[in-house]
């Protein structure tokens, strides 16, 4: 028996729930040295910007306990080069590609969405809201429900109806549910969480920040409890909205934790740096865990930890009727 | 995967058994059974290793040059390292029969000259570890090989004996004068190049050393290949943390990955003065040129 | 040579900068089995409430990668029993005691401050702002600058002028500097950070939240990058305000990291659970690190990582003039 | 520290060397040199150990009953454990001469009867490990000791042989019937108490077992001492994570710490039905009585 691992981002079906996390899978070519990109639920690109970006100076990384700080600064070749050299390669290999976009203004996000509109091979658009809003003194969009909603609404408007728009949220807020709700009200078809909270490390030998940029984004297992909490809270408040959960997933157990909290798909980021085979491995482990628990459909487990205390896990029978 | 992705150097992940451990002055050397990696190895390649064991709090792999490969047990690789922080301390504690998780071979190896010529190989500190497999390959092509090895002190000069056996000449430097000439590799390099009438220089070591070696080579008008070290989170080209400013064939400076586009570069292409910055004229620099 | 490790919370001098973190040192008696409480810079009590509190059901703890989730729920005997049985014991042993207080309303915090006013043995009052505001649908005070400021102002007003009031902040906000500033404007003499961000863990075997309370506070080395970042940001914005840094300190290096970021005192929490001698050990290690770097005064290192890139660490001479 | 704080049982931290490791059916036993702990040990005490080594991602110590202490090498303690998660898996991989960081002895030991009497010692699964040092102490006071040991299956019944040697009688139970009587310890306990005409019961095991043992003892009107297990973050009484609802001498239910106020309690004082809740009438319960 193999479990039915299909999942849906809005109406788009993915063969399995394991994605790469934005910015962690390169262009796809690097991972393809280790395993097929079309075996992924979807490949999520690093956040694409309008113009080429050189990113931040080095050092760009620092290791922290069970975590990684990075300040890459969205280095990339810009959307034109992406469409010319990267997306076609992914499409040829049959990968479903979620294109992450990043910008400094609503206009820039909108322009990116327009540029992607109608391009074949774009399975979904993920809006990286953790970019500084240059028109609001660099305040990150994701920290402000209305700014986030504005970006989402304009990207949604510029994107063909059959391409889902995923809003990617940050945990660095007082109320992640409020931002999630604003994004859904703004037209997000799905939500992704969590982007990296802002952290910092100081080198006690040089007595200076370990990263050239000072602060960086914290990822890896250290942040998993924050990710599980965000997914849990948002799924509780918006049970109908598909969630791509991520943050510190290194094993099938970690992925299952996010699924039980309410994620219908799970992205793997930092773990890829440690294990380039992490995606197929996590998928295999997740499938084994589901089977060991008597589930033959992923969909039946999404959000299952929310059932009232003492309630039995739903039986096969009522699961037949349930849908995502 | 399509054929074209299966390039010769394509890396693999291997859980290898530690065959031998030994101390070499200030360094530790580990030989690990890793057939898939040994097979594909070319001089200049590196591997990354997982450190800390199961349930470790250390997420990132550590990168090490492959010092040597041997055909024993289907293929072994040898790493040479100094203890620097918690990861290398853990490696230094490994015992024979422990296992080590490696990914490799990684990076672009040293390009070799088509025709026999004279090569100066410069190694500063553990950088010297990369040079012996290279020296072998060069000699197999009929090249003459001269070594310049340096370090702050005698115990940190790696491979002097082997260099003396292999090299036409071997020049050693230490900053404290405890071995060879007092000074740095760049102090003696002009003399070595001139004496050997060298055609090409290969260098491994800290950025500062590579900068100096590149400057000296430029003065002599001979090509130099340098293997750089930058902090790496992945080693396989996906994370973009290991970038250095490098001038491309088109004259444009790009922030390129030391792990996947390097670690070996033509010295004059690396903007050593700008390492740790985004040069204002780099592609995509803030306010800089956009292609 | 021994380094001068004295530090100041406003005008109150502490012999050294190492404190216990609230809720992590019991009543002091338990730690006294291992080392003297009067050797601490100060002993910080668990958050004291007006009435006795039984706290949350068990399981109250779950381990996460390099972290710990807890949901103790401020279990304690109430302020009267605290004043009768716990504070006198600490005072007798010569411990400097920072009394942490927690409440559900501004009135409750004020009442606690009044009850503590004039009681001997209270070195400072720390206001735990990570309590749910029962009058604002359980929104945590620390997530709302004006609510936090209101609590701080009323505690400040009820507290004798010579007893500093420390506002303890949470990282679960979009802008920790804004909350810090509000608290200082409200009268806080010092700031403490970070309290635990809210996290969650799901047991993939029982398929239920690992904590009975569902969510819990995340502590330990996993959160240190968040703590360093908060201390850094707040010290940069409010350089004159003393900061008690905490979050994942297990060694002298970790303590130095927070000091370099801007903390003039450092609290040790979760590390005590692993090593009951953690406080004296961290202090000793910190002193050794300072000496190894040629510093003979802690004060000279506070915030040192903020010096402009390329600047030399200040020399002994200009340090003579500098003050905290 | 004043004299009064230096109570006899006051715990110490020790980095001990592993002296022996062995497997006992489903369990692992580790003997560790830990003089300060062995000296202070009384039956019922536990220790906590750090797991995962340097740079571990596992922050919390694991708690284990001290199975045995011996005077060798200045004092050794033996722990017996089953592999449950990552921490116990790490412990199971320890080898002789590795070191282990222990804190102990912790908790309040079993109270011993003043005068000789008949005691039934009930151990479910690894709970049995706590009973043999207790049995020794009781026998030294002239008590008669009868054992009831149980587990789901034969390989998880710990210490049957030693019990048979020490006990006046030994009754074994397994849920699958693979050893002794099919069933649970509570099924056979009434018979054992009646046959031995027991004066007191001691019990270690899962909460559910302790609840049953307490109920049986209550029916016979004899006192019962239970050692409880609750998830512990510190083991030394500072974190308040390990609480159980216990009725005090004043009749008031309080959430008391299993580690510092226990792990041994009088069975009838523990509100087993309410474990995992805050009973509405507990001191400080939401909406409950305030003292
Ligand atoms: C391509 C390459 C080849 C290398 N070859 C060798 C070699 O043959 N022998 C040798 O002794 N060392 C070599 N190094 C350096 C080696 O990777 C570091 O010494 C090692 O990562 C330090 O790990 P640590 O845990 O002991 O130190 P820590 O300082 O605790 O490491 C913390 C983090 O910083 C990273 N880091 C620290 N120093 C370096 C560095 N110099 N380069 C890259 N990442 C670093 C680590 O990977 C880790 O993520 C090489 C580095 C690179 C990039
Ligand atoms: C006072 C006391 C005495 C004990 N004596 C023994 C003994 O002699 N032999 C034995 O095999 N086991 C004993 N246990 C249980 C033992 O502590 C757990 O099996 C062990 O902590 C599991 O660790 P792990 O990393 O393998 O499991 P994990 O489930 O991965 O542990 C995760 C976390 O939960 C905690 N935890 C998990 N199970 C328990 C538990 N049952 N009790 C307390 N904390 C737990 C761990 O400490 C850790 O913090 C005792 C527990 C207590 C409280
Ligand atoms: C090196 C690196 C680069 C990243 N780049 C991006 C990015 O371009 N866009 C984005 O939305 N998230 C980016 N992220 C965040 C990840 O997509 C993910 O949200 C986060 O790392 C948490 O998942 P993880 O713990 O599995 O890595 C990046 C993370 C890392 C570590
Ligand atoms: C078990 C536990 C109980 C805590 N109780 C309190 C408390 O009562 N009041 C408070 O302000 N903070 C409390 N905290 C938070 C700590 O004081 C500290 O801010 C946090 O744990 C981060 O530091 P650490 O990583 O060193 O533990 C508690 C933390 C833990 C782990
Ligand atoms: S180390 Fe990740 S791209 Fe080079
Ligand atoms: S385990 Fe911390 S108080 Fe009991």
């Amino acid at each position: 028996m193999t479990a039915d691992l299909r999942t849906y981002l809005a109406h788009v079906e993915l063969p399995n729930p394991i994605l790469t996390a934005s910015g962690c899978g390169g262009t796809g070519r690097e991972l393809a040295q280790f395993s097929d990109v079309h075996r992924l639920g979807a490949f999520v690109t690093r956040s694409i910007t309008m113009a080429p970006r050189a990113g931040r100076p080095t050092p760009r990384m620092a290791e922290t306990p069970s975590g990684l700080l990075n300040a890459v600064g969205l280095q990339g070749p810009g959307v034109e080069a992406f469409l010319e050299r990267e997306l076609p390669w992914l499409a040829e290999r049959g990968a479903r590609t979620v294109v992450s976009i990043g910008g400094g203004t609503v206009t820039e996000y909108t322009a990116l969405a327009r540029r992607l509109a109608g391009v074949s091979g774009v399975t979904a658009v993920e809006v990286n809201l953790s970019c500084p809003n240059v028109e609001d003194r660099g305040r990150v969009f994701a920290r402000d429900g209305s700014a986030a909603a504005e970006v989402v609404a304009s990207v949604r408007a510029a994107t063909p109806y059959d391409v889902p728009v995923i809003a990617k949220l940050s945990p660095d807020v007082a109320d992640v549910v409020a931002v999630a709700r604003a994004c859904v009200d703004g037209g997000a078809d799905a939500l992704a969480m969590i982007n990296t909270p802002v952290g910092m490390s100081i080198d006690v030998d040089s007595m200076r920040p370990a990263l050239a940029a000072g602060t960086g984004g914290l990822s890896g297992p250290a942040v998993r409890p924050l990710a599980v909490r965000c997914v849990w809270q948002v799924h509780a408040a918006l049970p109908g909205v598909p969630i791509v959960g991520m943050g510190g997933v290194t094993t099938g157990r970690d992925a299952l934790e996010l699924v039980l909290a309410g994620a219908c798909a799970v992205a793997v980021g930092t773990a890829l740096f440690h294990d380039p085979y992490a995606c197929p491995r996590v998928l295999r482990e997740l499938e084994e865990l589901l089977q060991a628990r008597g589930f033959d459909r992923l969909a039946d487990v999404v959000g299952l930890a929310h059932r009232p205390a003492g309630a039995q896990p739903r039986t096969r029978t009522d699961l037949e009727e349930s849908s995502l | 995967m399509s054929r074209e992705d299966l390039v010769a150097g394509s890396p693999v992940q291997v859980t290898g058994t530690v065959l031998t451990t030994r101390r070499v002055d200030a360094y530790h050397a580990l030989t690990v059974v890793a057939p898939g990696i040994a097979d594909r190895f070319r001089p200049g390649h590196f591997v990354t290793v997982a450190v800390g064991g199961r349930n470790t709090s250390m997420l990132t792999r550590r990168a090490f040059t492959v010092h040597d490969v041997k055909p024993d047990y289907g293929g072994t690789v040898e790493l040479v390292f100094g203890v620097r922080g918690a990861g290398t301390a853990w490696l230094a504690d490994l015992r024979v029969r422990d296992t080590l998780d490696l990914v490799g071979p990684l990076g672009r190896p040293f390009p070799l000259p088509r025709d026999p010529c004279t090569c100066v190989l410069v190694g500063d500190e553990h950088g010297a570890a990369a040079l012996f497999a290279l020296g072998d390959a060069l000699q197999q092509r009929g090249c003459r090989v001269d070594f310049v090895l340096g370090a702050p002190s005698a115990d940190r000069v790696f491979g002097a004996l082997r260099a003396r056996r292999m090299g036409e000449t071997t020049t050693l430097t230490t900053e404290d004068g405890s071995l060879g000439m007092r000074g740095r590799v760049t102090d003696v390099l002009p003399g070595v190049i001139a004496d050997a009438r060298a055609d090409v220089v290969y260098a491994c070591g800290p950025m500062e050393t590579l900068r100096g070696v590149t400057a000296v080579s430029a003065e002599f008008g001979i090509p130099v290949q340098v293997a750089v070290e930058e902090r790496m989170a992945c080693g396989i080209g996906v994370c973009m943390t290991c970038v250095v400013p490098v001038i491309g064939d088109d004259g444009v400076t790009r922030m390129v990955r030391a792990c996947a586009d390097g670690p070996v570069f033509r010295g004059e292409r690396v903007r050593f003065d700008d390492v740790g910055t985004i040069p204002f004229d780099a592609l995509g620099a803030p306010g800089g040129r956009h292609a």
Side-chain angles (χ1 to χ4, degrees), chain A, chain B:
Chain A
M1 183 190 86
T2 57
D4 176 358
L5 294 173
R6 281 173 304 168
T7 194
Y8 291 84
L9 294 181
H11 62 279
V12 173
E13 180 182 308
L14 303 179
N16 73 66
I18 303 301
L19 282 51
T20 54
S22 178
C24 301
T27 62
R29 284 180 169 88
E30 300 83 3
L31 286 186
Q33 297 180 293
F34 300 93
S35 62
D36 291 352
V37 284
H38 79 259
R39 293 269 176 82
L40 292 164
F43 177 83
V44 183
T45 69
R46 58 186 172 337
S47 294
I48 305 297
T49 52
M50 277 309 280
R53 279 175 67 106
R56 300 297 218 133
T58 55
R60 288 180 172 183
M61 65 79 82
E63 195 181 62
T64 67
S66 299
L68 175 73
L69 282 169
N70 88 83
V72 168
L74 300 192
Q75 177 174 347
V79 68
E80 294 308 329
F82 166 74
L83 290 178
E84 211 173 290
R85 298 197 300 258
E86 300 183 14
L87 188 61
W89 185 91
L90 288 159
E92 273 167 38
R93 265 141 204 89
R96 286 150 298 279
T97 304
V98 175
V99 181
S100 170
I101 57 174
T105 60
V106 177
T107 322
E108 203 173 330
Y109 281 103
T110 319
L112 280 159
R114 285 222 187 87
R115 187 64 191 81
L116 295 174
V119 171
S120 83
V122 179
T123 301
V125 173
E126 183 174 279
V127 187
N128 175 359
L129 293 164
S130 298
C131 299
N133 182 347
V134 297
E135 290 166 347
D136 184 15
R137 291 165 302 146
R139 178 144 81 136
V140 163
F141 291 98
R143 299 210 187 143
D144 173 355
S146 61
E150 197 187 338
V151 172
V152 169
S154 68
V155 169
R156 182 59 280 176
T159 302
Y161 75 97
D162 59 344
V163 175
V165 171
I166 308 167
K168 184 163 175 188
L169 309 182
S170 148
D172 284 336
V173 291
D175 184 352
V176 71
V177 170
V179 182
R181 208 185 292 275
C183 290
V184 170
D185 292 347
D189 303 292
L191 300 167
M193 65 199 72
I194 56 175
N195 213 317
T196 50
V198 179
M200 187 171 189
S201 169
I202 292 174
D203 181 325
V204 297
D205 296 318
S206 69
M207 301 195 286
R208 301 275 316 151
L211 300 178
T215 58
L218 183 63
S219 65
V223 306
R224 198 166 65 236
L226 306 182
V228 174
R229 186 261 299 172
C230 288
V231 170
W232 172 278
Q233 289 177 334
V234 171
H235 183 72
L238 303 165
V241 179
I243 297 176
V244 183
M246 78 195 82
V249 171
T250 65
T251 65
R253 292 178 77 88
D254 303 341
L256 180 55
E257 201 182 344
L258 286 169
V259 170
L260 289 165
C264 66
V266 172
V268 177
T270 305
L272 289 168
F273 306 165
H274 192 267
D275 175 9
Y277 304 95
C279 287
R281 178 178 51 76
V282 167
L283 178 62
R284 194 176 60 240
E285 291 168 352
L286 176 63
E287 180 166 13
E288 285 165 9
L289 290 166
L290 292 178
Q291 290 174 342
R293 283 156 185 71
F295 292 98
D296 53 16
R297 286 181 21 167
L298 171 80
D300 298 337
V301 186
V302 173
L304 196 63
H306 288 262
R307 70 185 189 277
Q312 293 305 309
R314 301 174 216 153
T315 64
R316 184 90 37 108
T317 339
D318 27 22
L319 293 175
E320 300 290 74
E321 269 98 68
S322 78
S323 88
L324 203 63
Chain B
M1 207 181 328
S2 72
R3 284 303 308 161
E4 77 193 66
D5 298 326
L6 282 168
V7 289
S10 119
V12 293
Q13 188 267 330
V14 175
T15 302
T17 303
V18 175
L19 205 60
T20 67
T21 68
R22 62 194 167 98
R23 295 237 20 182
V24 189
D25 295 322
Y27 299 98
H28 297 257
L30 279 182
T31 313
V32 189
V33 180
I37 299 178
D39 283 356
R40 293 171 167 82
F41 168 77
R42 301 278 172 281
H45 272 144
F46 67 97
V47 294
T48 58
V49 305
V51 291
R54 261 191 301 171
N55 305 110
T56 178
S57 65
M58 296 185 278
L59 285 192
T60 57
R61 290 175 164 271
R62 271 51 175 173
F64 299 96
T65 300
V66 176
H67 169 235
D68 221 348
V69 300
K70 293 236 172 69
D72 325 4
Y73 302 92
T76 65
V77 300
E78 185 172 57
L79 317 178
V80 171
F81 60 93
V83 170
R84 186 195 146 95
T88 43
W90 181 85
L91 283 172
D93 280 348
L94 283 181
R95 302 184 247 179
V96 171
R97 279 191 297 281
D98 285 343
T99 55
L100 186 64
D101 166 356
L102 302 103
V103 170
L106 296 168
R108 292 166 24 135
F110 288 110
L112 302 179
R114 252 164 245 232
D115 305 309
C117 66
T118 298
C119 309
V120 178
L121 276 50
V122 186
D124 201 1
E125 300 206 58
H126 66 246
L131 300 180
F132 301 100
L134 172 64
D136 272 341
L138 290 170
Q139 288 182 332
Q140 275 168 29
R141 303 203 164 199
C143 294
R144 164 181 163 157
V145 170
D146 294 80
F147 284 96
V148 180
L149 306 181
S153 56
D155 62 327
R156 289 166 69 187
V157 175
F158 179 79
L161 243 74
R162 191 159 170 204
R164 287 216 176 92
R165 274 203 303 271
M166 278 181 76
E168 194 73 19
T169 70
T170 293
T171 313
L172 306 177
T173 67
T174 52
E175 284 166 49
D176 64 1
S178 53
L179 181 71
M181 321 275 284
R182 180 188 299 269
R184 297 167 186 263
V185 288
T186 41
D187 298 331
V188 302
L189 184 59
V192 175
I193 292 178
D195 291 352
R197 319 240 259 137
D199 301 302
V200 53
V201 176
Y202 290 92
C204 293
M207 270 316 168
E208 192 46 38
T209 303
L210 300 182
R211 184 229 298 255
V213 170
T214 299
V216 170
S217 309
E219 270 171 41
F220 282 88
I222 57 174
V224 54
Q225 299 284 347
V226 300
V228 304
E229 262 185 50
E230 189 43 89
R231 297 197 153 229
M232 295 182 173
C234 78
I236 58 167
V238 295
C239 78
M240 306 302 287
T241 61
C242 63
V243 296
V244 279
V246 171
I247 305 165
D249 291 337
D250 54 3
V252 177
T253 297
R254 291 183 182 78
M255 301 305 295
V256 308
R257 298 163 302 179
C259 68
D261 304 310
V264 176
F265 296 103
R266 285 171 53 182
E268 73 279 13
R269 292 293 182 84
V270 180
R271 292 178 59 170
F272 289 108
D273 291 338
D274 298 319
V275 165
T277 73
I278 304 295
F280 75 97
D281 58 345
L283 177 67
R289 56 191 285 180
H290 291 172

